[in-house]
Amino acid sequence: MASEVNTGFLLDKRLDSIATDILRPVGISKGFLVWMGFLLVSLSGCIYAYYIQWDKGLIVTGLRDYVSWGMYIANFIFFVATSLVGMLISSVLGLMGFKWVKPIARIAEIIAVAFAAVAGLVIVSDMGRPERLPYVFMYGRIQSPILWDVTVVTTYLVLSTLLYFIPLIPDLAISKGRMGHTPKWLQSTYEVLSVNWSHTPQQYKILLKSVRILLIVIIPTAFAIHTVTSWLLAVTLRPGWDSSIFGPYFLTGAFVAGSAAVVIMMYFVRTNYKLDKYLTLYHFDMMGKLLVLVSLVYLYFNINEFLVPAFKLKTADAIHLKELFVGEYASMFWSVQLLGLIFPIILLLFKFFRKPLPMFIISVVVLIAAWFKRYLIVVPTQQNPFLPKQYVPDAWMVYQPTVIETAITMGTILLAVIIITVLFKLFPVIPIWEMAEEQCENDHKSQE
Amino acid sequence: MIKKYLFLVLIVLISFHLSAQEWVVPAEEGVKLSPFAFNDSTRKVGADLYNTNCKSCHGDPGKNNVINLVPPPPDVASVKMQTNSDGALHFKLVQGRAPMPSFKNILSSTDIWRVISFVRSFNDKYVQVIDTKKGMAGTAASNVKIQVAWVKEQNQVQMVISGMKENKIQPVSGAEVKLFAKRYFGNLLIDEARNTDAQGKALFNFPKDLPGDSAGFVQLIAKLSDEAAYGEAKADTTLAIGVPTYRPPLNEQRAMWNVVQKTPIWLLLAYTFTVLVVWGFIFYVLLQIRAIYKAGLRKDHETTD
């Protein structure tokens, strides 16, 4: 984003055509209602599953003495991981001056907001006594990484929401007058949220300054959120978790999951909203290259994370690694490593696979693998503790997620999809004013 | 060939197993009997002693909730335990063998018999045989008193023992006495066993470096070895003769494992500073939204003017 904004684009008639394009899919359509109806009905089933858990306690899950962090915590790590992409796209790439991230930035921010918001709820799903949540704030210890995690997740959610909302303000003002086809309440929402925006240079100045502050502050916050999440595991003495590179290992893994989520949403916007003029083949090509880059870095950390303990084979690590490489979890482990990391890296090196549809398919596989990767980080370690497992029923020694647990986990994913759907459908998903400004600049350049 | 090796391994394992299980009691110890009859009162004291000293490993009698050790501590109600003779049980409690500790310095012989009386209460078939040759106590002297004092100049602890003999209070001479210092786990023998002189006196060299409590107090236990002759004569004395030692409890100072009020300062500062800085920026940006709103109001005025 330029520090000085040229408000000349506002008079330009190009703004009109861009706004018309981008606002065409915005609003409440029949498809939207059917889709939301489907999501809400499915969600109500999941809420019923949660009601059972609330009523009976965590005994309805597969969690027992040894594996006390099962699918829920794996899901939590997945949510936090995916939400980090907002920081990567908007801040890191945006501040470095990559122009191609402009139409993608808001998609990334929506993913960040939705996933960070639901991440907090996912933690609550793992609580046996959720009504005691306020105790975290009343009696929480600053020494505990759990309190740090609550702090950073909240902070990151607020920062991401602001980073989504503030650049949206001018678009809300632009959209205000052009939304005649939408219900009154939506128009009033636009009116309120556009906080009296009237495109004055002074307002642009304030906006750009605020966005710049947020872009910088969100970088350390995003690093903190996932590093602290990794510390929840790494500060305990367990085979597979007792690692000093867990912070960067989680962070780089997060970028893989997040980039894949962005590609999926980009494909959706391009095909369903017919916005291929703004999300071009070039954007997919660049995202493909980004996905290769972050995957390579993640592969590097994976090699470190497995090769070093596998070389030394300390007793407990040996048991853990054997479970992963050739034991109970071998098929899941190798599927995740090959389908979620190795194959995407190789395929995306070829230009053909960086086209929208192949990339969409690859990204779906990468995102699913990313979820199972978190499962592999959380569960096998807890099944192989240092101390011998004894004096408990045999069924408690292994972990098998129950239907209720799976339904609640599905519910959190549905909730994230609902938030994404609402933000995608009711607000412009590509920044109108930034697109117009950029086209204006490009035209001026070409005229000179 | 492999079969031969396997056989060898099996033999070694079995012999190891047997040697680990076998606890040989000398014949003369095995036939020892309690000098007194077991009754409700001995069983009650025995139960208290059992709960303090034995339960942590042997568990609740009859519930088989012993802890996992090699060799395993048997449940005291088990056949394995009850097939021991009274003398064998007494010997095993006195001697101990890894991982079972010796209770020689912790429980008196009488207390050990009381524990055995409690253990026998879980055996319906048990019929006690009492050692009638020995009286319960006081054959050599009765009403035995032990006085313990500190002789500073010589750095010694002095024990003076007197008792009723021939209807007259007089010094107990030629009796073996022992001095112990109470420690966390059991009693520590100070110096060595000594015999009292003609005045009923015995002197013990006291180490200069024995840690006491924060004021240097050490709890001393003086005992006569021959319980049959002198009864359970014992004196508990606390003297300020140890090295004053103060070990702060782990939760006294600021530490990562302590309550939130005792957070390490560096962490408190780092956390508070970081949160304040980041949220400072957030509030600043929220104020900027207000500024945008106000700037919009001014614009409205300008256009309407």
Side-chain angles (χ1 to χ4, degrees):
Chain A
M1 255 162 265
S3 54
E4 286 281 314
V5 71
N6 177 10
T7 48
F9 69 84
L10 286 167
L11 305 167
D12 212 292
K13 60 176 181 294
R14 264 171 302 232
L15 175 74
D16 234 20
S17 73
I18 292 172
T20 313
D21 283 346
I22 293 175
L23 291 175
R24 193 187 312 114
V26 176
I28 295 167
S29 61
K30 210 169 166 188
F32 171 75
L33 290 176
V34 170
W35 174 238
M36 278 300 277
F38 164 73
L39 289 175
L40 289 172
V41 168
S42 316
L43 184 68
S44 61
C46 303
I47 290 174
Y48 178 67
Y50 186 70
Y51 167 75
I52 296 172
Q53 185 183 306
W54 173 284
D55 192 42
K56 300 230 169 15
L58 287 177
I59 195 75
V60 299
T61 68
L63 303 168
R64 291 296 181 268
D65 287 28
Y66 292 105
V67 180
S68 54
W69 285 4
M71 191 187 259
Y72 290 151
I73 297 298
N75 194 36
F76 167 71
I77 299 171
F78 171 76
F79 268 76
V80 174
T82 311
S83 79
L84 282 209
V85 75
M87 181 276 287
L88 176 70
I89 303 276
S90 312
S91 296
V92 176
L93 299 179
L95 287 172
M96 281 164 90
F98 289 103
K99 288 239 161 71
W100 61 269
V101 299
K102 274 192 182 178
I104 303 169
R106 192 169 288 163
I107 296 176
E109 259 351 297
I110 291 173
I111 289 170
V113 170
F115 279 80
V118 181
L121 283 179
V122 177
I123 280 287
V124 178
S125 73
D126 193 48
M127 293 176 74
R129 298 289 299 268
E131 78 278 8
R132 290 186 180 171
L133 183 64
Y135 289 9
V136 175
F137 305 96
M138 287 154 69
Y139 311 115
R141 295 164 60 255
I142 297 178
Q143 296 98 313
S144 165
I146 290 179
L147 192 86
W148 310 344
D149 208 48
V150 171
T151 313
V152 284
V153 170
T154 318
T155 309
Y156 184 72
L157 174 60
V158 172
L159 281 171
S160 296
T161 311
L162 285 173
L163 207 45
Y164 167 68
F165 171 63
I166 293 183
L168 186 69
I169 295 173
D171 281 1
L172 291 171
I174 292 168
S175 319
K176 245 184 336 194
R178 303 165 197 261
M179 300 290 287
H181 59 290
T182 55
K184 257 230 141 62
W185 62 266
L186 188 61
Q187 292 179 41
S188 330
T189 311
Y190 276 46
E191 180 67 44
V192 173
L193 290 180
S194 63
V195 292
N196 240 334
W197 184 269
S198 38
H199 305 287
T200 64
Q202 196 201 351
Q203 282 181 324
Y204 272 111
K205 213 176 133 195
I206 300 171
L207 179 133
L208 290 175
K209 188 173 70 178
S210 305
V211 168
R212 204 172 169 77
I213 289 172
L214 291 172
L215 286 176
I216 295 167
V217 173
I218 205 167
I219 295 175
T221 311
F223 270 68
I225 176 177
H226 217 37
T227 307
V228 171
T229 304
S230 83
W231 287 349
L232 294 179
L233 297 90
V235 295
T236 63
L237 194 60
R238 284 171 181 276
W241 292 359
D242 183 18
S243 157
S244 58
I245 61 160
F246 240 43
Y249 175 55
F250 269 43
L251 208 60
T252 49
F255 293 151
V256 176
S259 302
V262 167
V263 171
I264 294 168
M265 295 323 295
M266 277 168 69
Y267 181 78
F268 175 81
V269 170
R270 183 182 153 93
T271 51
N272 278 42
Y273 289 1
K274 310 273 182 300
L275 290 176
D276 45 352
K277 214 195 293 177
Y278 304 94
L279 296 174
T280 61
L281 293 177
Y282 171 70
H283 292 105
F284 278 85
D285 189 56
M286 292 312 279
M287 275 308 289
K289 286 173 179 166
L290 178 69
L291 193 52
V292 172
L293 175 69
V294 292
S295 298
L296 279 171
V297 179
Y298 190 43
L299 178 66
Y300 167 73
F301 277 102
N302 266 278
I303 291 169
N304 270 280
E305 188 55 30
F306 292 113
L307 191 136
V308 175
F311 195 92
K312 294 182 282 193
L313 279 186
K314 290 184 277 185
T315 318
D317 282 336
I319 298 168
H320 173 67
L321 290 174
K322 202 178 157 207
E323 283 285 283
L324 290 182
F325 292 168
V326 289
E328 194 191 338
Y329 291 97
S331 51
M332 195 193 282
F333 178 81
W334 292 112
S335 310
V336 162
Q337 296 294 2
L338 292 173
L339 298 174
L341 207 51
I342 311 275
F343 292 164
I345 291 174
I346 296 169
L347 292 179
L348 289 172
L349 290 176
F350 300 97
K351 201 169 171 67
F352 168 77
F353 288 100
R354 294 199 300 271
K355 290 201 173 1
L357 183 63
M359 265 196 71
F360 169 74
I361 295 167
I362 290 171
S363 296
V364 169
V365 175
V366 168
L367 196 65
I368 293 170
W371 192 93
F372 281 99
K373 173 78 183 176
R374 273 71 192 170
Y375 188 90
L376 285 170
I377 289 173
V378 172
V379 175
T381 286
Q382 292 212 314
Q383 268 189 28
N384 299 297
F386 278 125
L387 293 173
K389 296 196 276 190
Q390 51 189 10
Y391 307 132
V392 296
D394 287 345
W396 295 18
M397 306 240 184
V398 287
Y399 172 66
Q400 186 65 52
T402 60
V403 174
I404 291 177
E405 211 173 345
T406 315
I408 293 171
T409 302
M410 281 308 297
T412 58
I413 294 168
L414 285 173
L415 205 57
V417 174
I418 288 173
I419 297 174
I420 291 172
T421 307
V422 168
L423 295 180
F424 261 58
K425 197 64 192 155
L426 300 188
F427 301 98
V429 73
I430 289 172
I432 303 170
W433 66 278
E434 286 182 85
M435 290 291 98
E437 186 197 15
E438 193 181 285
Q439 277 203 11
C440 206
E441 271 174 29
N442 289 346
D443 290 354
H444 281 305
K445 265 183 211 152
S446 56
Q447 276 166 18
E448 282 160 18
Chain B
M1 197 63 188
I2 290 172
K3 267 187 182 169
K4 259 187 190 171
Y5 273 117
L6 277 178
F7 183 70
L8 202 68
V9 168
L10 202 68
I11 292 293
V12 169
L13 280 177
I14 288 173
S15 56
F16 179 77
H17 189 70
L18 284 177
S19 73
Q21 299 293 316
E22 204 80 26
W23 192 350
V24 183
V25 178
E28 71 275 14
E29 293 286 343
V31 296
K32 270 193 180 170
L33 294 168
S34 163
F36 56 88
F38 298 161
N39 55 34
D40 281 352
S41 130
T42 63
R43 279 188 281 273
K44 193 174 175 306
V45 180
D48 289 343
L49 290 167
Y50 179 85
N51 288 337
T52 331
N53 297 290
C54 322
K55 192 183 157 176
S56 58
C57 295
H58 287 277
D60 300 297
K63 294 206 174 146
N64 215 19
N65 54 353
V66 301
I67 67 162
N68 194 9
L69 291 172
V70 180
D75 186 306
V76 295
S78 66
V79 175
K80 186 173 156 61
M81 179 69 81
Q82 296 291 347
T83 44
N84 281 285
S85 68
D86 287 355
L89 288 176
H90 188 273
F91 171 79
K92 289 176 179 180
L93 264 84
V94 170
Q95 291 297 315
R97 64 149 187 185
M100 162 129 173
S102 155
F103 286 87
K104 190 165 63 184
N105 296 336
I106 300 166
L107 298 176
S108 69
S109 178
T110 312
D111 277 343
I112 289 176
W113 286 120
R114 284 173 178 140
V115 172
I116 294 168
S117 85
F118 171 70
V119 168
R120 289 303 189 199
S121 69
F122 297 96
N123 184 354
D124 298 338
K125 289 177 196 134
Y126 174 75
V127 182
Q128 195 195 1
V129 182
I130 305 169
D131 189 350
T132 45
K133 276 176 272 171
K134 283 184 185 172
M136 175 160 165
T139 50
S142 65
N143 208 8
V144 174
K145 294 246 159 30
I146 308 174
Q147 282 174 308
V148 178
W150 172 234
V151 187
K152 200 178 177 189
E153 304 79 56
Q154 285 135 16
N155 206 53
Q156 285 180 319
V157 174
Q158 180 186 270
M159 229 187 254
V160 182
I161 297 152
S162 60
M164 190 75 89
K165 222 154 87 178
E166 295 150 6
N167 286 333
K168 206 164 69 177
I169 292 174
Q170 45 181 291
V172 173
S173 59
E176 192 190 69
V177 284
K178 284 179 184 167
L179 181 71
F180 299 96
K182 191 157 173 53
R183 303 280 92 182
Y184 268 127
F185 302 103
N187 301 329
L188 176 72
L189 183 68
I190 301 290
D191 205 354
E192 51 190 32
R194 303 222 176 261
N195 288 318
T196 50
D197 61 12
Q199 285 83 45
K201 242 195 291 184
L203 284 166
F204 296 86
N205 295 319
F206 194 80
K208 286 187 175 141
D209 55 354
L210 192 82
D213 67 8
S214 56
F217 283 104
V218 178
Q219 196 185 335
L220 295 173
I221 299 154
K223 269 187 192 172
L224 278 145
S225 301
D226 193 348
E227 275 182 46
Y230 301 104
E232 265 188 296
K234 197 174 135 185
D236 275 5
T237 319
T238 305
L239 296 173
I241 55 177
V243 180
T245 314
Y246 178 63
R247 293 191 206 290
L250 286 175
N251 63 353
E252 191 183 80
Q253 274 151 7
R254 292 183 175 275
M256 288 301 276
W257 54 82
N258 220 327
V259 291
V260 68
Q261 290 81 4
K262 290 187 177 175
T263 306
I265 293 285
W266 66 266
L267 182 65
L268 189 66
L269 289 178
Y271 178 86
T272 317
F273 176 76
T274 316
V275 168
L276 282 180
V277 167
V278 174
W279 279 85
F281 280 117
I282 290 175
F283 281 110
Y284 178 76
V285 168
L286 287 174
L287 285 176
Q288 296 309 299
I289 296 176
R290 193 162 153 265
I292 289 175
Y293 178 77
K294 286 199 161 169
L297 279 184
R298 273 198 296 281
K299 171 82 188 292
D300 286 349
H301 283 300
E302 279 160 28
T303 45
T304 44
D305 280 347

